[in-house]
């Protein structure tokens, strides 16, 4: 035995175990090995040689992310170049929604839907506001708590901001805190592991130097919504970008927003930053120079505020250049500090407190979106229609006994005051209702509903085309309108099976009557117009027939102030106004600020020789509320003519609230000493 | 070396050596291929783990090098001993196999949902890795005892039970990959031992039924044989586009890594590895690192080294001095071949994810040392077979 350890029983010593059968099986193993290696080789060849370039691209996609770098937004300037809105850089602490649990995102979406339903339910019927869902897990709550202690805000506030922003824009970064200090920023950035999904980025927030107000006009910016992304006007804007959402910011967003740059950042599988480079430079937004006059705007805001001190609840003013429709000032009250909206609002309750209905809905721009009965400032339109059709001449005298009886109805002057025989000029001066009631009565049977058609010619009943979003078109009632209202009411009753309540928005199912026309002739009844529309109508009368298109934007300027583009706002149309009629009406308007005119006492200290005021008071009845005070004025000037319309809701008679506010603005505009006082006229 | 002194004892010896074409007492190609893979492994791990542990870029490389040295020492020891002695230890070795797996199941540390290793002071011991070699050695020994009754189906059943018992235990850990390796080893030993074709056919049919039961029928009545993650892996493999989960992700990232290596590799710009897109880049997916960093050239080189090992192992099978050696070699060949194919197949996307390491390449002491033991065994079979052939030649000369 050569190998004593070999105890193989089957084969003799030294015999090779390689039988033919085993050899065959070994060969088969070899063949299997060959096949398996071939499979791997072919697959490798396919992956690396044939389709390798594709994998190279996929690998690049893996690690390179393109993120937007917000371009600094352009500024908004007044007519002299004074800055109304500009940027300031701010550090914002953001939370990546992808790093939040799916349950949190789902809960936020549900809450958002509940809030929408809740907000749509009428105030009387809705229950308590849906509660903001708590953080979905203890771990998340802990994360919030840790952040909260660093940022110095409450955990609940963080949760609220996260939920609110997730509900609005599910995939955009959540802005937890704007203006974090450098210390906090460094603390957070040095501990990425402790604060997952947290980033601190530099953004630009809007700043409002000068304190001119004009909050509603300037508007606000906000993250682009998913619907907006689909719109043509937001082409090229990427998700999460900040765009203009209201006011000038919205209408000139295309120029203001600039072009966001992009940054290619290299990340690892855990999303950690490994490097970055700018792949497209940002292009700063251009500035918009507006026709606004910062001084006049400030003065208007202040005058309106003081006009409201006598019981007014809200109001608005518009000042136009009657030659071309340039908006010199435009404001709405109640108002707010626009810088409040540059940062996230802490809570829904805070939002309600600042911007809710209880706060007077300050976001609502009453100057362009308010639709009110205009009261007597409508009278020049009635006069123009009557003169044009020949219902009266400039010299026609109508006896005003204080009341006009039409059938069984009696229409009174304010306070049933009798003015005796009045001509047009006198009727405007003392605001005789009976004179205009008579015109309304006499115009009613005439073909073409002349008062309505003149109101429309002068720009009422449709949007003026101002370069601001959200303009209302108002209402000029006529036969067809009343027919439509009645049809609406009938349809509503048919659909719901209920009777339209007395405060039903539609009508009381009566046909058009002479009474409607009489109401319209003095700006009462169903007529509705915005202060802006009235300013356009007065401008048209003042300039002799050019229906101006009111506008704010003048030029687009580069960052350095170079003019890039002129914004043209050609007049909407021209109407033919006989200069004789224009003269009569203007004469009446001027007389109303003189002698025993309705606003004479307001302008008692005014230098009428230098700056003759053509004004008209208005007092709109809005039962059950107190009267709404109106005043419209035109002051001709070779260099700076101006039309101002102001209104004060619940402000009482026109001479009481609105007229002094207009007077103050005129004093500012013409650099005259303020000599305005509240008027005592009790006319409409 | 002392072994060579025996060979060079006389001029006749040297002549016989030449006649047989055997110059050395070990298989040089096998040694070179093994060392080549060890170098590849160290280079790849160095490249893949450079930034994994901040401050100690060599952490994994140094450990792997130590494992290679320890494994190499053990391999040399096995080469110098006669593998045939192991037959006598079959009960002890088989018992060790079963007990070690049970120990892991009971005391093992949980990693990613399964108990596969016992934490020892210096390293964590993965019983199923050493178990692969233990199974080859003990099952082959049992097969030798029954070799006369090989045509009897009861023999086949007995051997199958011996081989599949540890496989079933490993399944409990759960470690599907190792269990599959155990099954492959068992079938290989039976195959080389000469089990008739009909038995394999019957076993194949049974296995098909069992797979159908465990995948379709039993889950339908509420018994889940496969764990959900194992099913996910299968789904991810069969329908890669339908899964966005981690299983599909891993395989997709691996495919991207390998593909992006193109012909010659991305060198230090291998971002899939560097930025951790590639999971388990120094263990189960190390082949993808090779593919990304050194391209088709590197991947083909590594595969060729494996092909060399398989070729040499098959050749050693044929020169074994006895059937036990042949069985050992056969078991080892299939053990290596199966692991290489399943692992590389997984990284290139032709096999589902099973968690089988790439022998000699993947970082990990248990797998590495077990594979080095297998290589040592092969060398021992070679050396013994050579000595037997030489003495046979001497007998012939004396006749």
């Amino acid at each position: 035995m050569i190998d004593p350890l070999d105890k193989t029983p089957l084969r003799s010593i030294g015999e090779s175990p390689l039988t033919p059968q085993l050899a065959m099986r070994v060969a088969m193993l070899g063949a299997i090995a060959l096949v398996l290696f071939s499979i791997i080789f072919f697959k490798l060849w396919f992956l690396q040689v044939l389709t390798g370039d594709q994998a190279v691209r996929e690998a690049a996609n893996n690690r390179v992310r393109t993120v937007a770098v917000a371009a600094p937004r352009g500024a908004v300037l007044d007519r002299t170049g004074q800055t109304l809105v500009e940027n300031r850089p701010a550090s914002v602490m953001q939370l990546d929604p992808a790093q939040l649990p799916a349950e949190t995102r789902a809960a936020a979406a549900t809450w958002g839907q509940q809030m929408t339903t809740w907000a749509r339910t009428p105030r009387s019927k809705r229950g308590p506001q849906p509660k903001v869902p708590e953080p979905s897990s203890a771990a998340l709550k802990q994360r919030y708590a840790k952040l909260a202690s660093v940022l110095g805000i409450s955990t609940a506030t963080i949760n609220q901001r996260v939920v609110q922003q997730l509900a609005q824009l599910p995939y955009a970064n959540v802005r937890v805190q704007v203006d974090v200090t450098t210390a906090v920023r460094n603390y957070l950035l040095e501990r990425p592991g402790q604060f997952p999904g947290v980033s601190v980025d530099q953004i630009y927030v809007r700043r409002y130097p000068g304190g001119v107000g004009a909050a509603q006009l300037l508007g606000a910016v906000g993250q682009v919504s998913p619907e907006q992304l689909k719109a043509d006007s937001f082409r090229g804007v990427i998700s999460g970008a900040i765009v203009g959402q209201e006011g000038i910011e919205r209408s000139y967003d295309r120029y203001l927003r600039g072009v966001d740059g992009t940054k290619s950042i290299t990340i690892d599988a855990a999303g950690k930053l490994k490097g970055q480079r700018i792949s497209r430079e940002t292009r700063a937004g251009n500035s918009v120079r507006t026709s606004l006059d910062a001084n006049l705007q400030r003065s208007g805001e202040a005058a309106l505020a003081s006009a409201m001190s006598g019981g007014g609840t809200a109001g608005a003013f518009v000042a136009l250049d009657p030659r071309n429709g340039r908006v010199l000032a435009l404001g709405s009250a109640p108002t707010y500090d626009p810088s409040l909206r540059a940062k996230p609002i802490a809570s829904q309750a805070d939002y309600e407190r600042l911007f809710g209905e209880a706060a007077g809905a300050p976001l609502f721009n009453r100057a362009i979106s308010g639709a009110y009965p205009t009261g007597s400032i409508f009278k020049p339109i009635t006069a123009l229609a009557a003169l044009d059709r020949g219902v009266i001449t400039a010299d026609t005298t109508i006896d005003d006994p204080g009341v006009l009886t039409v059938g069984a109805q009696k229409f009174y002057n304010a306070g049933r005051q009798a003015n005796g025989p009045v001509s047009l000029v006198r009727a405007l001066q003392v605001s005789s209702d009976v004179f205009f009631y008579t015109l309304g009565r006499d115009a009613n049977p005439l073909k073409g509903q002349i008062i309505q058609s003149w109101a429309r010619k002068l720009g009422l009943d449709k949007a003026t085309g101002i370069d601001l979003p959200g303009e209302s078109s108002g209402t000029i009632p006529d036969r067809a309108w009343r027919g439509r209202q009645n049809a609406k009411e009938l349809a509503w009753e048919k659909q719901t099976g209920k009777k339209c309540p007395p405060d039903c928005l539609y009508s009381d199912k009566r046909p058009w009557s002479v009474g409607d026309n009489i109401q319209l002739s003095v700006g009462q009844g169903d007529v509705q117009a915005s202060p802006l529309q009235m300013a356009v109508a007065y401008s048209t009368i003042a300039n002799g027939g050019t229906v101006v298109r009111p506008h704010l934007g003048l030029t687009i300027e580069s960052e350095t102030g170079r003019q890039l583009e002129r914004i043209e706002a050609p007049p909407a149309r021209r109407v033919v106004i006989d200069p004789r009629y224009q003269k009569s009406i203007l004469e009446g308007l001027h007389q109303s600020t003189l002698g025993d005119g309705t606003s004479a006492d307001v302008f008692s200290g005014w230098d009428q020789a230098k700056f003759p005021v053509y004004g008209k008071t208005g007092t709109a009845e809005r039962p059950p509320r107190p009267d709404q005070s109106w005043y419209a004025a035109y002051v001709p000037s070779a260099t700076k003519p101006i039309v101002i319309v102001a209104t004060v809701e619940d402000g009482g008679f026109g001479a009481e609230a609105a007229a002094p506010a207009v007077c103050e603005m005129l004093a500012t505009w013409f650099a005259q000493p303020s000599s305005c006082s509240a008027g005592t006229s009790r006319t409409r | 070396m002392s072994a060579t002194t025996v060979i060079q004892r006389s001029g006749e010896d040297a002549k016989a050596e030449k006649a047989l074409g055997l110059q050395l007492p070990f298989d040089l190609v096998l040694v070179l291929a093994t060392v080549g893979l060890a170098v590849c492994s160290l280079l790849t791990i160095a490249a893949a783990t450079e930034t994994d542990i901040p401050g100690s870029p060599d952490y994994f490389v140094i450990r792997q090098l130590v494992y290679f040295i320890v494994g190499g020492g053990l391999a040399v020891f096995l080469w110098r001993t006669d593998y045939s002695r192991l037959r006598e230890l079959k009960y002890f070795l088989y018992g060790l196999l079963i007990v070690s797996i049970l120990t892991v199941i009971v005391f093992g540390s949980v990693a990613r949902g399964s108990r596969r290793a016992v934490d020892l002071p210096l390293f964590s011991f993965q019983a199923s890795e050493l178990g692969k070699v233990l199974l080859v050695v003990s099952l082959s020994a049992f097969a030798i005892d029954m070799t006369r009754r090989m045509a009897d189906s009861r023999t086949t059943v007995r051997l199958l039970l011996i081989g599949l018992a540890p496989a079933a235990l490993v399944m409990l850990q759960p470690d599907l990959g190792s269990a599959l390796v155990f099954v492959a080893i068992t079938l290989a030993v039976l195959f080389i031992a000469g089990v008739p074709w009909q038995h394999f056919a019957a076993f194949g049919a049974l296995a098909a039924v069992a797979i159908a039961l465990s995948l379709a029928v039993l889950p339908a009545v509420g018994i889940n044989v496969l764990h959900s993650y194992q099913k996910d892996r299968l789904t991810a493999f069969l329908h890669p586009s339908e899964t966005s989960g981690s299983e599909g992700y891993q395989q997709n990232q691996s495919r991207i890594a390998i593909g992006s290596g193109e012909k010659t590799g991305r060198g230090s710009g291998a971002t899939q590895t560097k930025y951790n897109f590639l999971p388990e880049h120094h263990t189960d997916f190390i082949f993808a690192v090779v593919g990304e960093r050194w391209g088709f050239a590197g991947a083909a080189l590594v595969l060729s080294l494996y092909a060399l090992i398989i070729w040499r192992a098959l050749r050693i099978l044929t020169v074994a001095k006895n059937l036990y050696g042949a069985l050992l070699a056969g078991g080892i060949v299939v053990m290596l071949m199966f692991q290489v194919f399943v692992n590389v197949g997984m990284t290139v996307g032709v096999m589902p994810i099973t968690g089988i390491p790439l022998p000699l390449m993947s970082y990990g002491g248990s797998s590495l040392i077990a594979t080095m033991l297998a290589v040592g065994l092969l060398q021992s079979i070679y050396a013994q077979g050579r000595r037997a052939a030489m003495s046979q030649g001497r007998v012939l000369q004396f006749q």
Side-chain angles (χ1 to χ4, degrees):
Chain A
M1 270 205 174
I2 285 161
D3 188 350
L5 291 171
D6 190 355
K7 291 179 190 153
T8 313
L10 186 63
R11 292 168 222 279
S12 57
I13 308 304
E15 185 191 343
S16 164
L18 199 65
T19 61
Q21 187 210 21
L22 182 57
M24 210 261 278
R25 292 194 172 193
V26 170
M28 285 181 65
L29 275 185
I32 290 171
L34 194 66
V35 169
L36 295 184
F37 274 98
S38 306
I39 290 173
I40 301 283
F41 264 104
F42 278 121
K43 182 74 189 196
L44 271 179
W45 180 263
F46 173 77
L47 284 180
Q48 302 193 287
V49 179
L50 298 183
T51 63
D53 48 347
Q54 187 193 330
V56 170
R57 278 197 300 276
E58 285 181 70
N61 283 343
N62 247 346
R63 64 179 206 280
V64 180
R65 297 272 182 285
T66 305
V67 295
V69 183
R73 241 179 126 70
V76 179
L77 311 170
D78 91 334
R79 56 199 284 270
T80 62
Q82 197 177 324
T83 304
L84 304 175
V85 190
E86 64 184 0
N87 286 313
R88 75 179 164 82
S91 288
V92 60
M93 197 231 93
Q94 307 195 102
L95 207 51
D96 180 2
Q99 299 282 334
L100 292 169
E103 302 86 70
T104 300
R105 284 177 288 170
T110 314
W111 178 83
Q113 285 158 6
Q114 287 169 351
M115 272 308 285
T116 313
T117 319
W118 180 82
R120 279 187 191 147
T121 317
R123 200 164 265 275
S124 52
K125 286 177 196 155
R126 63 194 182 191
Q129 194 175 323
K131 270 181 86 84
V132 173
E134 288 293 308
S136 60
S137 68
L140 185 64
K141 202 166 182 167
Q142 222 165 10
R143 266 169 70 185
Y144 286 172
K146 221 153 75 178
L147 262 182
S149 69
V150 175
L151 295 174
I153 54 179
S154 77
T155 312
T157 302
I158 294 186
N159 183 47
Q160 196 144 29
R161 285 178 183 172
V162 170
V163 170
Q164 265 168 14
Q165 292 182 52
L166 280 183
Q168 277 172 6
L169 293 159
Y171 299 104
N173 278 343
V174 175
R175 286 190 178 178
V176 178
Q177 178 90 316
V178 175
D179 283 333
V180 295
T181 61
T182 316
V184 168
R185 177 177 173 276
N186 293 345
Y187 185 87
L188 289 173
L189 292 184
E190 279 160 13
R191 294 164 179 77
Q194 283 182 41
F195 300 100
V198 165
S199 63
V200 179
D201 304 297
Q202 168 144 323
I203 57 160
Y204 294 100
V205 296
R206 291 308 239 174
R207 202 171 89 88
Y208 302 86
V212 297
Q216 300 89 351
L217 177 148
L218 295 172
V221 296
Q223 271 172 331
V224 66
S225 74
E227 293 76 38
Q228 288 172 334
L229 278 176
K230 292 178 200 143
D232 268 357
S233 53
F234 290 98
R235 185 169 297 166
V237 174
I238 53 174
S239 181
I242 301 294
V243 296
Q245 296 288 19
E246 291 165 31
I248 291 249
E249 298 273 19
R250 173 63 183 269
S251 44
Y252 288 101
D253 183 62
R254 196 156 67 86
Y255 303 101
L256 290 169
R257 71 170 168 246
V259 181
D260 286 352
T262 51
K263 195 164 66 172
S264 296
I265 60 172
T266 306
I267 53 159
D268 68 2
K272 232 160 96 183
L273 188 68
K274 290 287 177 181
Q276 55 179 318
R277 86 191 151 79
I278 301 286
S279 41
R280 192 178 75 190
E281 293 285 346
T282 57
R283 231 172 53 219
N286 293 317
S287 298
V288 174
R289 186 184 283 241
T290 66
S291 53
L292 225 54
D293 185 274
N295 273 337
L296 187 64
Q297 181 70 29
R298 260 192 297 268
S299 150
E301 302 257 347
L304 185 59
S306 79
M308 280 165 58
S309 60
T313 53
F317 62 87
V318 176
L320 296 184
D321 183 331
R323 296 170 298 185
N324 46 33
R326 288 180 183 173
V327 178
L328 303 171
L330 188 149
S332 174
T335 186
Y336 59 93
D337 176 1
S339 61
L340 283 179
R341 300 181 74 208
K343 301 183 190 182
I345 306 296
S347 67
Q348 186 66 28
D350 282 351
Y351 187 88
E352 278 292 319
R353 184 173 57 75
L354 290 167
F355 305 116
E357 276 173 51
L363 300 183
F364 186 64
N365 190 347
R366 289 165 169 81
I368 63 166
S369 310
Y372 307 110
T374 63
S376 298
I377 65 164
F378 190 85
K379 284 174 180 167
I381 298 170
T382 308
L384 187 54
L387 288 168
D388 184 65
R389 182 55 77 89
V391 177
I392 52 164
T393 66
D395 306 319
T396 306
T397 320
I398 294 172
D399 183 45
D400 175 4
V403 62
L404 176 70
T405 309
V406 178
Q409 268 184 301
K410 288 183 186 303
F411 297 90
Y412 294 99
N413 275 346
R416 305 197 176 186
Q417 182 194 340
N419 293 310
V422 288
S423 66
L424 173 61
V425 171
R426 179 68 183 159
L428 285 170
Q429 182 182 24
V430 298
S431 202
S432 158
D433 285 344
V434 170
F435 182 89
F436 289 95
Y437 288 156
T438 311
L439 300 190
R441 182 197 64 192
D442 296 348
N444 190 48
L446 297 180
K447 199 159 165 281
Q449 303 189 81
I450 54 170
I451 301 174
Q452 287 86 344
S453 88
W454 267 101
R456 292 193 181 111
K457 278 187 189 175
L458 295 177
L460 275 63
D461 205 17
K462 59 170 135 341
T464 62
I466 191 176
D467 46 1
L468 284 177
E471 195 186 350
S472 75
S473 55
T475 307
I476 294 297
D478 60 9
R479 283 193 180 82
W481 175 82
R482 181 152 284 285
R484 283 197 303 276
Q485 291 303 102
N486 289 342
K488 270 189 208 165
E489 177 166 335
L490 287 172
W492 186 87
E493 289 189 348
K494 202 170 163 192
Q495 198 192 341
T496 58
K498 285 187 284 191
K499 201 136 175 63
C500 218
D503 62 343
C504 181
L505 287 174
Y506 303 123
S507 80
D508 37 14
K509 281 186 285 186
R510 59 179 178 77
W512 177 261
S513 72
V514 65
D516 287 315
N517 222 41
I518 289 171
Q519 293 282 11
L520 172 65
S521 67
V522 296
Q524 285 293 156
D526 296 312
V527 64
Q528 287 195 320
S530 68
L532 179 68
Q533 285 175 315
M534 292 314 293
V536 170
Y538 271 77
S539 295
T540 309
I541 293 171
N543 67 32
T546 304
V547 183
V548 295
R549 189 187 300 277
H551 62 282
L552 285 150
L554 287 185
T555 54
I556 305 298
E557 293 176 6
S558 74
E559 230 181 330
T560 53
R562 196 163 52 86
Q563 181 178 321
L564 302 173
E565 201 175 315
R566 282 180 63 88
I567 298 163
E568 301 291 342
R573 62 195 168 276
R574 300 190 142 272
V575 294
V576 180
I577 298 175
D578 190 312
R580 288 171 302 163
Y581 306 154
Q582 182 205 25
K583 189 165 165 278
S584 305
I585 292 168
L586 288 181
E587 175 59 21
L589 294 179
H590 187 39
Q591 288 302 323
S592 91
T593 66
L594 299 167
D596 63 346
T598 52
S599 55
D601 43 2
V602 177
F603 290 96
S604 54
W606 184 260
D607 185 356
Q608 291 277 8
K610 225 169 154 190
F611 306 106
V613 178
Y614 299 75
K616 182 75 199 83
T617 52
T619 307
E621 292 177 50
R622 300 177 69 190
R625 295 176 58 173
D627 289 346
Q628 178 164 348
S629 170
W630 283 89
Y631 197 76
Y634 161 56
V635 177
S637 155
T639 52
K640 45 196 305 190
I642 189 168
V643 165
I644 302 179
V645 172
T647 186
V648 179
E649 289 182 51
D650 310 323
F653 289 96
E656 275 184 307
V662 172
C663 176
E664 290 290 350
M665 289 177 73
L666 287 174
T668 306
W669 183 245
F670 292 108
Q672 293 293 299
S674 166
S675 59
C676 310
S677 55
T680 51
S681 169
R682 293 286 178 266
T683 57
R684 297 197 183 111
Chain B
M1 281 191 219
S2 57
T4 50
T5 56
V6 181
I7 296 162
Q8 288 161 355
R9 200 170 38 199
S10 66
E12 290 91 341
D13 279 356
K15 257 188 204 165
E17 227 176 77
K18 267 207 175 115
L20 288 162
L22 302 167
Q23 273 89 30
L24 294 164
F26 55 86
D27 189 321
L28 183 63
V29 177
L30 182 57
V31 170
L32 290 178
T34 308
V35 172
L37 281 172
V39 172
C40 288
S41 169
L42 292 171
L43 286 174
T44 310
I45 288 171
T49 63
E50 205 174 4
T51 56
D52 280 11
I53 297 175
S56 49
D58 303 329
Y59 180 89
F60 291 105
V61 187
I62 289 169
R63 271 161 185 72
Q64 183 82 339
L65 182 61
V66 171
Y67 299 145
F68 266 118
I69 292 167
V70 172
L74 291 170
V76 170
F77 172 77
L78 273 184
W79 161 57
R80 296 295 311 276
T81 49
D82 184 356
Y83 63 88
S84 301
R85 284 167 182 267
L86 294 171
R87 264 185 66 201
E88 300 157 16
L89 301 172
K90 61 178 184 259
Y91 290 109
F92 169 74
L93 293 175
Y94 190 72
L96 183 63
L97 164 63
I98 300 291
V99 168
S100 66
I101 295 172
L102 282 176
T103 308
V104 168
I105 291 177
V106 178
F107 300 109
S109 57
V110 180
R112 274 163 253 171
S114 65
R115 293 176 191 276
R116 296 185 181 182
V118 179
D119 285 323
L120 298 180
L122 282 175
F123 82 130
S124 72
F125 170 66
Q126 248 181 301
S128 53
E129 292 300 331
L130 185 63
K132 291 167 188 170
V133 181
L134 289 177
L135 183 67
V136 172
V137 174
S138 54
L139 185 65
S140 298
F142 288 119
I144 294 294
D145 294 348
M146 300 177 199
T147 191
R148 287 183 197 284
R149 302 183 300 279
M150 215 34 100
D152 191 342
S153 60
R154 277 173 301 182
T155 308
T156 309
V157 170
R158 238 172 256 154
L159 285 172
L160 272 176
L161 286 178
I162 292 169
L164 296 187
L169 285 178
V170 170
M171 267 292 266
L172 289 177
Q173 287 183 354
D175 183 356
L176 181 65
S178 295
L180 289 174
V181 177
F182 282 32
V183 172
I185 290 169
T186 306
L187 292 177
V189 171
L190 264 61
F191 185 67
I192 299 298
V195 167
W197 291 107
Q198 299 88 319
H199 296 183
F200 282 107
F203 177 77
L206 266 175
V209 170
I211 288 169
L213 272 177
S214 60
L215 285 184
V217 181
L218 288 179
V221 296
I223 304 164
N224 284 312
V225 181
L226 284 182
H227 289 259
S228 61
Y229 79 92
Q230 289 168 333
K231 260 183 274 178
D232 288 346
R233 285 173 172 181
L234 268 181
T235 318
F237 175 67
L238 295 173
H239 310 283
S241 55
E242 285 171 23
T243 49
S244 54
S246 72
E247 305 300 341
Y249 172 83
Q250 292 188 352
Q251 210 147 23
N252 195 37
Q253 293 302 343
S254 167
R255 183 186 58 72
I256 293 172
I258 292 179
S260 65
E262 298 192 274
K263 290 185 191 96
T264 53
R266 309 172 74 188
S268 55
T271 51
Q272 286 290 101
T273 308
K274 197 157 73 179
Y275 295 152
N276 278 324
F277 291 105
L278 188 63
E280 309 289 330
H281 48 232
H282 60 302
T283 55
D284 289 357
F285 281 94
I286 193 164
F287 190 76
V289 179
V290 175
E292 186 183 23
R293 202 172 173 87
W294 291 291
F296 183 75
L301 172 74
V302 168
L303 277 183
S304 304
L305 291 174
Y306 282 116
L308 281 180
I309 289 182
I310 302 293
W311 166 51
R312 293 316 293 177
L314 281 172
R315 171 146 168 67
I316 287 167
L317 196 168
T318 61
V319 301
K321 69 175 176 186
N322 52 23
L323 185 62
Y324 184 53
L327 290 184
L328 288 184
I332 290 168
V333 164
V334 171
M335 176 186 97
L336 294 176
M337 203 162 80
F338 185 83
Q339 295 191 82
V340 170
F341 178 72
V342 173
N343 180 285
V344 176
M346 163 183 94
T347 61
V348 299
V350 299
M351 293 295 281
I353 296 181
T354 41
I356 290 179
L358 186 58
L360 296 174
M361 284 291 290
S362 287
Y363 171 80
S366 302
S367 162
L368 192 52
I369 288 170
T371 312
M372 290 303 281
L373 287 177
V375 172
L377 274 176
L378 286 175
Q379 293 288 17
S380 172
I381 298 164
Y382 175 85
Q384 297 292 323
R386 187 185 148 281
R387 268 176 69 186
M390 266 175 39
S391 49
Q392 202 177 27
R394 195 162 59 209
V395 171
L396 282 171
Q397 273 183 344
F398 283 122
Q399 273 170 353

